[in-house]
Amino acid sequence: MREFSRSLPMSLLRAREAVMRQFRPSLRNHGLTEQQWRILRALTAVDAIEVTELARVAFLLGPSLSRILRDLEARHLIERRAAKADLRRGMVSISAKGLKLIEAVAPTSESIYAAITKLYGARKLSELQDMLSALEDSLSGLEVAGAGDAEADE
């Protein structure tokens, strides 16, 4: 087995933590968690989206998403309604208040991206994003080894 610190999942987790450490203070200043921000950002890319699809694109489990959506709806940052084609399915969209919050967070977020780009390099950052996308694409067709095993994290 490879050295723990050199395992791909740990390398990715460390890199994610290093990046998110830069963004968390700004999110906290705006009363947002990382997961809430992910949902709001995902909603800016669509007019409306089914709850199950939102869970998929935001990488959140259904029960967590339900709790987060309740909070965002109580704060009037999102709007929920039933799908026209199937009233059992929920649709979510960002509200005007949610868009204003995005606009308030955006300048700080962009300055953080600029600082990361300056430190790491625009070309390297672009290559990293391309490589991560390629890794995701190449693994999407791979059968998951031990998918039935509870311990198959790595």
Side-chain angles (χ1 to χ4, degrees):
M1 235 177 141
R2 72 188 68 245
E3 184 182 328
F4 177 67
S5 66
R6 294 290 294 169
S7 71
L8 183 57
M10 288 309 301
S11 295
L12 292 169
L13 283 170
R14 280 193 309 275
R16 179 191 185 280
E17 180 56 29
V19 169
M20 288 311 301
R21 193 176 306 123
Q22 307 305 309
F23 289 93
R24 278 190 201 109
S26 172
L27 295 177
R28 243 182 275 120
N29 288 341
H30 289 92
L32 292 169
T33 65
E34 295 172 43
Q35 295 83 3
Q36 290 169 333
W37 179 247
R38 256 192 348 248
I39 290 167
L40 292 174
R41 287 285 287 126
L43 291 174
T44 62
V46 296
D47 288 330
I49 189 170
E50 271 193 34
V51 172
T52 53
E53 180 64 7
L54 179 58
R56 188 188 67 75
V57 300
F59 284 91
L60 291 166
L61 297 174
S64 295
L65 179 61
S66 293
R67 178 184 45 78
I68 296 166
L69 290 178
R70 273 194 309 271
D71 180 56
L72 293 174
E73 186 175 30
R75 293 170 60 189
H76 305 287
L77 298 174
I78 64 161
E79 296 170 350
R80 293 205 279 187
R81 65 183 183 285
K84 290 177 185 172
D86 184 348
L87 297 178
R88 296 169 297 177
R89 301 183 96 110
M91 299 294 291
V92 182
S93 58
I94 193 164
S95 69
K97 186 176 178 182
L99 287 171
K100 283 184 182 183
L101 180 58
I102 293 281
E103 290 172 11
V105 177
T108 304
S109 182
E110 285 304 314
S111 70
I112 294 166
Y113 269 106
I116 291 170
T117 302
K118 184 177 180 183
L119 285 170
Y120 191 65
R123 183 181 54 75
K124 283 176 35 179
L125 187 57
S126 178
E127 289 172 358
L128 175 62
Q129 289 177 313
D130 290 345
M131 288 190 304
L132 289 170
S133 181
L135 175 62
E136 182 182 3
D137 290 346
S138 66
L139 295 179
S140 68
L142 187 64
E143 187 176 317
V144 179
D149 299 346
E151 306 175 42
D153 284 336
E154 193 174 349

